[in-house]
Amino acid sequence: MHSCAFLLLMALALHHALPAVTFEQIAILEKWKNILDINKGLNLTEGDIMEPRQGSAFGNQTLWDLPVSYKLSANLNMNDRGVILRAFEQFRLKSCVDFKPRAAEEFYISVESHEGCWSYIGRSSPGGQALSIGKDCGRKGIVEHQFLHALGLNHEHLRYDRDEYVTINHENIRKGYESNFNKHSGNVSTTQETPYDYYSVMHFDKNAFSNGNGSTIITKSPELQDMIGQLMEMSEHDVTELNKLYKCNSSVSFLDCCSFDDESLCQMSVCSAADDGWQRVKSVSGIIVTDHTYLGKEQSGTSFFMHFSTEGRNEGDAARLESKTVTPTRDCKVQCLQFYYHHSGHESDQLNIWIREQQNEADSRGALRLMDQITETPENYWKLHHVPLNANKSFQVVFEARKGAGNSSGGFSLDDINISETECPFIWQIRDIEKELNSRSSQLWSPLYYSRDGYRFGAELSVFRNKIEIYVYLISGAYDEQLQWPCPWRQITVQILDQNPQIQKRMSFEQSFTTDPEFILDGSYYWDKPRKGPFTIGDESVFLGGAADVALLTKDDLTRREFIKGGDLILLFTIQDISALLQRDSLPCPKVTVKNFSVSTDTSTQQ
């Protein structure tokens, strides 16, 4: 049966009543397995390492040439193929390590589906070095864990200095598995001078190889006991160790970030045709707005954001904030601008987002293109916003705040800007999630989204007794008669965003599923055109199609990172056509949908 069959069966029950989860179903759903649970009974060193162990973690003979060549085996299922490519994107965003499909290289990683999740340590042999992503291994954190092994990293809890940070309860170790806790000496592994990392994706959890009598790993910082063993994604120190191992410190797809903590404004420039344009501030008089970077924490002396006041100004008064020049280097000319904004002015005020693209090295002025415009009713909170970009050459991002016609007592504020060579996801920002968590039960529906090719989908979040369940549905839309059904090989990914201000330091929870057009349930194609209903979502009557359960989390899970910030929970969604992976090991460049604006740049903007 399809790997998502159990989850799909659970979701199918929703279609015969209201589109909401029954609480009995939530109670019996299990969390995803960890690596040791998946590999139980397999003869693997330390639980997931295939012998023979060749070389060490820091000898040049075990390092790969960059980019690392790989091949996806035909026995991998389609969803896992897509997850592997998503894991590669995280390596590119956070580290200097890149991957490419194998051409004729002698050394390459052969990603295969065998029993369990496992890898060799470092580059060990020519002719296709196996790495297994078997049943239940198709999670981003598990894939990253195995590729970090292949790149040369060992388990964090076996570092030679681990006894300073954790205690191993030997009496609780399952008989015959004691050797899995043997520390590595300095000639087998290196810490690359990174601190011991409880958050490492290479650290096993507190009950690793337990005989059932209690935990085997006890952290000497008790508050981190439940954090060890996380399989969300690589930590900041995992990336530092990897970059030091490969003697590089750049990133493949990261371009820039700024939280305005430093007076240099991250080399951004401020320009205004009027007095007092964009200002670096800690707070704004008369407005309830504080720095977003440290929102919910004790405000430090470095907590600043940018603000442009529209109070008392004339209509058309404007100011610009321009980023430093960044240069895209990837073959796919796709970028995403992310930032938080706070609108406290008048609904006629505008925040325009331009890019200034240089045509050549001698072009100091560049050509301006308006990429997005925010004009809306002011709301008293920080909003996450994404702008898809498609710059082909070096460019700057220009934030232009402009006074509208109405009276204002506030303005626009900006904070936590990130620019990367990645695709922009859809955003669902859920206000006051703690209120929902403290209620006995509630159901919330996301906005309804369209993929680039016209498939429509939405998500339902159900809360019951401090548990959060997230379902994603195909939903009837305007283009259904022109689309291919059953829906073929669209991978939908849901990410619960870790709201760390720096995109490279985030450790978000993520889960993906893929629509298999051949999957049949109760005699019908499961991912066929939505026709169950109608149901009312918001103020619209729609039909529901196939659905998948993608997350089951507790309130405690959401406190382990910055999943809740300012009372808000943010979910990000992507839907991607991965059908090309039926024939090849990579995906074509995505097409960026850029908004069209009938505007001209006035003199204040062109300066």
Side-chain angles (χ1 to χ4, degrees), residues 135-171:
K135 184 178 182 295
D136 296 329
C137 301
R139 291 176 58 189
K140 182 177 66 176
I142 292 178
V143 172
E144 289 180 358
H145 182 109
Q146 299 310 325
F147 271 90
L148 285 170
H149 276 323
L151 290 166
L153 269 62
N154 281 288
H155 288 131
E156 186 74 6
H157 54 285
L158 301 184
R159 285 167 50 137
Y160 55 79
D161 61 346
R162 66 103 185 272
D163 292 337
E164 300 175 33
Y165 305 96
V166 298
T167 299
I168 304 301
N169 280 345
H170 294 276
E171 65 274 16

Side-chain angles (χ1 to χ4, degrees), residues 365-485:
R365 291 175 59 86
L368 278 168
R369 283 193 287 146
L370 182 60
M371 308 304 293
D372 202 4
Q373 184 177 85
I374 298 173
T375 300
E376 62 185 16
T377 302
E379 296 182 275
N380 189 33
Y381 66 96
W382 286 100
K383 287 186 178 182
L384 177 63
H385 194 75
H386 289 170
V387 182
L389 308 177
N390 60 350
N392 288 295
K393 300 176 182 177
S394 297
F395 69 97
Q396 295 171 278
V397 173
V398 181
F399 295 94
E400 180 199 37
R402 183 173 292 274
K403 174 69 174 68
N407 293 325
S408 168
S409 59
F412 277 105
S413 303
L414 286 176
D415 208 357
D416 298 343
I417 299 169
N418 285 274
I419 311 173
S420 59
E421 292 190 76
T422 57
E423 285 191 84
C424 285
F426 299 101
I427 301 171
W428 182 19
Q429 185 164 343
I430 304 172
R431 296 283 293 141
D432 299 323
I433 188 63
E434 289 170 327
K435 177 182 177 182
E436 303 295 336
L437 288 170
N438 291 330
S439 66
R440 186 178 184 277
S441 64
S442 64
Q443 288 82 39
L444 302 172
W445 271 94
S446 73
L448 304 184
Y449 309 101
Y450 280 100
S451 68
R452 284 192 302 269
D453 47 6
Y455 289 100
R456 199 182 196 197
F457 69 99
E460 182 198 25
L461 183 146
S462 294
V463 178
F464 179 65
R465 294 175 182 170
N466 286 334
K467 290 186 174 66
I468 287 181
E469 187 87 8
I470 301 172
Y471 283 78
V472 177
Y473 296 79
L474 287 183
I475 294 177
S476 58
Y479 310 105
D480 286 358
E481 298 307 317
Q482 291 80 48
L483 295 172
Q484 182 179 350
W485 299 101

Side-chain angles (χ1 to χ4, degrees), residues 510-537:
E510 179 175 305
Q511 190 59 49
S512 303
F513 69 93
T514 298
T515 61
D516 181 347
E518 300 300 319
F519 180 60
I520 295 176
L521 192 62
D522 293 340
S524 300
Y525 287 108
Y526 190 77
W527 299 110
D528 210 347
K529 184 166 65 174
R531 54 171 60 96
K532 297 180 177 67
F535 299 107
T536 299
I537 299 177

